[in-house]
Amino acid sequence: MNIVVLVKQVPDSGADRNLRSDDNTVDRGSANNVINEMDEYAIEEALRIKEAHGGEVTVLTMGPEKAAESIRKALSMGPDKAVHVLDDALHGSCAVATSKVLAAALGQLGADLVLCGAESTDGRVQVMPHMLAERLGIAALTGARKLTVDGDNLTVERQTEEGYEVVAAATPAVVSVWDTINEPRYPSFKGIMAAKKKPVQTLSLAELGIGADEVGLAGATSTVLAHSRRPERSGGERFTDDGSGGTRLVEFLATEKFV
Amino acid sequence: MSEVLVVVEATREFGVKKVTLELLTLARELGTPAAVVLGGPGAAAALGDKLGEYGAEKIYAAEHEEIDGYLVAPKATVLAELVRRVQPAAVLLAASQEGKEIAARLAVKLDNGVLTDVVGLAADGTATQVAFAGSTIVTSKVTRGLPLVALRPNSVTPSPAAATPTVEQLDVALGGADKLARVVERVAEQKGSRPELTEASVVVSGGRGVGNADNFKLVEELADLLGGAVGASRAAVDSGFYPHQFQVGQTGKTVSPQLYVALGISGAIQHRAGMQTSKTIVAVNKDAEAPIFELADFGVVGDLFKVVPQAAEEIRKRR
Ligand SMILES: Cc1cc2nc3c(=O)[nH]c(=O)nc-3n(C[C@H](O)[C@H](O)[C@H](O)COP(=O)(O)OP(=O)(O)OC[C@H]3O[C@@H](n4cnc5c(N)ncnc54)[C@H](O)[C@@H]3O)c2cc1C
């Protein structure tokens, strides 16, 4: 099975993150950039499918020069090769344009199965799997906590607000995974060394047949007008329990009309 | 005035979801609210009264087995057809997984911008979003097409404004590409009478400090006394204390209730990401240095196993 895993480099969600003051895009320059956590689960799932059924695993990233670090990190877990869509014109692309670019790259790669994280920690938008499926005319099974591959048939178990659902589709398909699906492996020393030699192909917009005016800030379908830091919450009253903590808590709730 | 399409979300148990009522309330500011019900046969009949009560002047009903039989694609197809025909002033959805997914497909079909996790929307289409774990406020606008906006639950106070909606049945004409992701089985898991986590006006969450699954009864008890939903930190979920669907935070649900109670939760940045915009925050933690206290409007430094039962008792006494 030809599996492509979408990997996005994001600013570390455990540190302070900002938007740039000049063009309101995510500040990637000053941030500690890492692989979007949920994508590691997608890589792990891809590797497990390859181990069980054979095939090839390709990492696909759209991002600036810097994203190459995350690509190597992803490869060190075990995928065979990577494709990096790299073009200065992509800076500031909206989700709609990003899906156009990724769909074009996926078209060239001819994937049977596209795996990705259910959402990224920077945007948390959750739209990409369905945007890609819509463009490629293939199925999208989203938010998988379990994925079963049987020949060309995929079955996914996904959490819903009321319980869970079992959904099925034939390949080719996009499957997004939640962090409950598996436990990603740590790259081994051997894996890290091997990753240095694995092929990473870069693709430009021209090679994908997409015009620079269709992407980036210029081609965006939505725009950020302004941004500001939310005022920090300041801690309020703190009561050290002297045996009446529960009662004091309820007194507070009562003054706020919650009881 | 142009119509503003509101994509209805409902559950079998509780009917129209609160977020849909928020959307109708918001839609009244932007134009003439028109509710769109996408579901199986008979889906709209049960919801009409409630939708009218909150100002829906019109109900578009697309009712077909295949709408429920496949994941979101059929809904997006029907909706895209409707948008092309009525040229609404805006399309509003809930920022639920399904709402965002319908919006995603609609954006591609119409080559239209999309804004998700919106917490406010002005009449001129300017949206407010909260980004980066609640630390940043962003104003944004769709610049291509109509405002296609997914609203985060608990962003608007729903207010009734009675209308008598006319109902229009929509044709459901689906193609092969709409029927690729088949729903094999839907399993409802018992969760009693508690409100849905993202919609609840009170959320009581437990963390690693709760110690084990059995002790989560304490968290549930307090939630029930306050009429709230139960949440959990990732550490509590990872330790098997409580199911994943109740996780609050960066990789769980984002909640924005009137009251958030954190029990035995340290307040890591990824947890804060999911609850920071709550109106009032209360914490119980035995560590006076726990970062959760930096956010809490009221904090008790103490053992939750003493504080929570006492609080529960006190609430019962006051009834
Ligand atoms: C990419 C990423 C995504 C993440 N996503 C999420 C997410 O969605 N949600 C989330 O919650 N976390 C998330 N995390 C994890 C997060 O960093 C923290 O590890 C987690 O929130 C800690 O949970 P906790 O507060 O329950 O546990 P701890 O940090 O271990 O805190 C337990 C607290 O309980 C207190 N305590 C113990 N016993 C008692 C007692 N008897 N009485 C009172 N207090 C007591 C302790 O003082 C302590 O403060 C994520 C991490 C990463 C890296």
Side-chain angles (χ1 to χ4, degrees):
Chain A
M1 186 168 285
N2 180 4
I3 307 171
V4 176
V5 188
L6 305 180
V7 172
K8 184 182 186 187
Q9 189 182 54
V10 295
D12 186 354
S13 65
D16 201 31
R17 294 170 291 172
N18 284 296
L19 293 173
R20 275 166 52 162
S21 52
D22 53 350
D23 64 3
N24 296 325
T25 62
V26 176
D27 186 352
R28 300 175 197 279
S30 66
N32 177 24
N33 295 299
V34 298
I35 293 183
N36 176 45
E37 196 211 11
M38 215 86 82
D39 300 349
E40 294 181 17
Y41 296 80
I43 297 170
E44 176 64 34
E45 199 61 20
L47 295 172
R48 290 185 189 190
I49 294 168
K50 179 186 161 177
E51 282 154 15
H53 304 274
E56 193 179 44
V57 177
T58 306
V59 167
L60 172 61
T61 292
M62 167 180 138
E65 206 94 50
K66 267 191 172 198
E69 300 155 25
S70 292
I71 292 175
R72 288 292 166 201
K73 169 110 195 294
L75 288 173
S76 69
M77 288 176 70
D80 301 288
K81 60 185 175 63
V83 172
H84 185 175
V85 182
L86 176 65
D87 201 305
D88 288 343
L90 289 168
H91 173 75
S93 292
C94 66
V96 176
T98 300
S99 72
K100 187 185 274 185
V101 174
L102 290 175
L106 287 169
Q108 291 197 359
L109 292 169
D112 302 309
L113 175 59
V114 180
L115 280 167
C116 60
E119 64 177 26
S120 63
T121 53
D122 55 351
R124 303 204 65 190
V125 180
Q126 288 187 9
V127 293
M128 206 45 62
H130 277 281
M131 285 189 170
L132 293 173
E134 182 70 37
R135 288 189 187 279
L136 297 166
I138 64 177
L141 305 175
T142 45
R145 67 177 187 192
K146 189 174 164 199
L147 169 61
T148 314
V149 178
D150 179 9
D152 296 336
N153 297 312
L154 307 172
T155 308
V156 153
E157 206 178 279
R158 70 201 295 256
Q159 187 104 59
T160 61
E161 272 160 25
E162 290 171 317
Y164 70 92
E165 282 173 350
V166 180
V167 290
T171 57
V174 184
V175 177
S176 74
V177 307
W178 213 246
D179 57 359
T180 38
I181 196 164
N182 57 40
E183 201 44 64
R185 66 195 66 186
Y186 286 105
S188 63
F189 179 69
K190 221 173 114 207
I192 294 167
M193 295 315 285
K196 295 188 173 150
K197 299 193 200 77
K198 287 180 180 170
V200 179
Q201 182 197 356
T202 54
L203 279 178
S204 66
L205 281 172
E207 286 167 297
L208 292 171
I210 294 174
D213 56 341
E214 297 174 62
V215 298
L217 287 166
T221 58
S222 59
T223 184
V224 174
L225 303 168
H227 66 89
S228 57
R229 295 289 290 191
R230 201 164 168 279
E232 297 274 339
R233 286 188 90 104
S234 51
E237 194 182 336
R238 199 179 308 186
F239 179 78
T240 304
D241 190 22
D242 59 0
S244 68
T247 312
R248 290 292 294 267
L249 182 70
V250 176
E251 278 165 12
F252 172 80
L253 294 178
T255 58
E256 301 281 316
K257 308 254 185 309
F258 291 113
V259 288
Chain B
M1 256 199 303
S2 300
E3 286 183 353
V4 175
L5 299 184
V6 168
V7 179
V8 174
E9 286 201 11
T11 63
R12 211 163 293 154
E13 221 177 325
F14 300 110
V16 180
K17 286 221 244 166
K18 187 169 132 205
V19 65
T20 299
L21 306 180
E22 295 183 44
L23 292 170
L24 286 170
T25 304
L26 188 62
R28 302 203 300 261
E29 311 284 315
L30 308 173
T32 308
V36 187
V37 178
L38 304 154
L47 310 176
D49 287 351
K50 193 77 172 184
L51 297 172
E53 203 182 308
Y54 283 81
E57 303 275 355
K58 185 150 192 180
I59 296 173
Y60 291 106
E63 303 177 317
H64 199 289
E65 283 93 5
E66 289 183 335
I67 288 183
D68 274 345
Y70 299 92
L71 288 187
V72 303
K75 295 185 178 176
T77 294
V78 172
L79 206 53
E81 206 40 60
L82 181 64
V83 170
R84 287 192 192 102
R85 178 159 65 85
V86 306
Q87 299 287 323
V91 178
L92 309 181
L93 306 95
S96 58
Q97 180 170 347
E98 178 167 292
K100 292 200 234 182
E101 292 181 349
I102 296 174
R105 285 190 177 259
L106 207 54
V108 169
K109 281 178 194 290
L110 303 171
D111 193 24
N112 195 109
V114 56
L115 299 173
T116 65
D117 290 293
V118 165
V119 297
L121 184 65
D124 71 347
T126 302
T128 308
Q129 294 166 295
V130 184
F132 296 151
S135 67
T136 301
I137 298 174
V138 170
T139 52
S140 50
K141 212 168 178 172
V142 169
T143 48
R144 191 186 306 158
L146 48 79
L148 172 57
V149 167
L151 185 84
R152 185 180 280 180
N154 277 343
S155 298
V156 174
T157 308
S159 71
T164 314
T166 53
V167 180
E168 182 183 325
Q169 291 290 332
L170 298 176
D171 281 339
V172 179
L174 303 175
D178 298 320
K179 297 190 260 186
L180 297 171
R182 190 166 44 87
V183 178
V184 179
E185 194 185 2
R186 282 208 169 92
V187 183
E189 279 165 347
Q190 224 273 322
K191 67 167 179 211
S193 54
R194 285 188 200 112
E196 210 273 305
L197 184 53
T198 57
E199 300 211 321
S201 47
V202 175
V203 174
V204 182
S205 288
R208 199 199 306 273
V210 175
N212 60 44
D214 206 35
N215 291 343
F216 248 79
K217 287 202 194 91
L218 269 180
V219 182
E220 292 183 332
E221 184 189 16
L222 189 59
D224 290 341
L225 284 166
L226 294 168
V230 175
S233 73
R234 177 156 163 176
V237 169
D238 285 351
S239 312
F241 301 172
Y242 220 64
H244 177 257
Q245 75 212 75
F246 300 104
Q247 183 175 313
V248 171
Q250 175 80 57
T251 42
K253 298 273 161 63
T254 301
V255 300
S256 198
Q258 295 294 313
L259 172 65
Y260 188 87
V261 182
L263 306 173
I265 292 176
S266 61
I269 191 164
Q270 294 93 350
H271 185 78
R272 281 147 61 159
M275 45 69 75
Q276 187 140 251
T277 56
S278 304
K279 190 105 189 298
T280 300
I281 297 173
V282 167
V284 180
N285 195 304
K286 67 180 182 190
D287 174 9
E289 303 299 316
I292 192 75
F293 287 125
E294 292 162 19
L295 319 183
D297 299 287
F298 188 83
V300 179
V301 181
D303 183 352
L304 72 91
F305 297 106
K306 298 205 175 93
V307 175
V308 176
Q310 187 181 64
E313 196 45 48
E314 180 66 22
I315 296 173
R316 274 194 215 94
K317 255 196 261 169
R318 285 170 179 251
R319 289 216 159 147

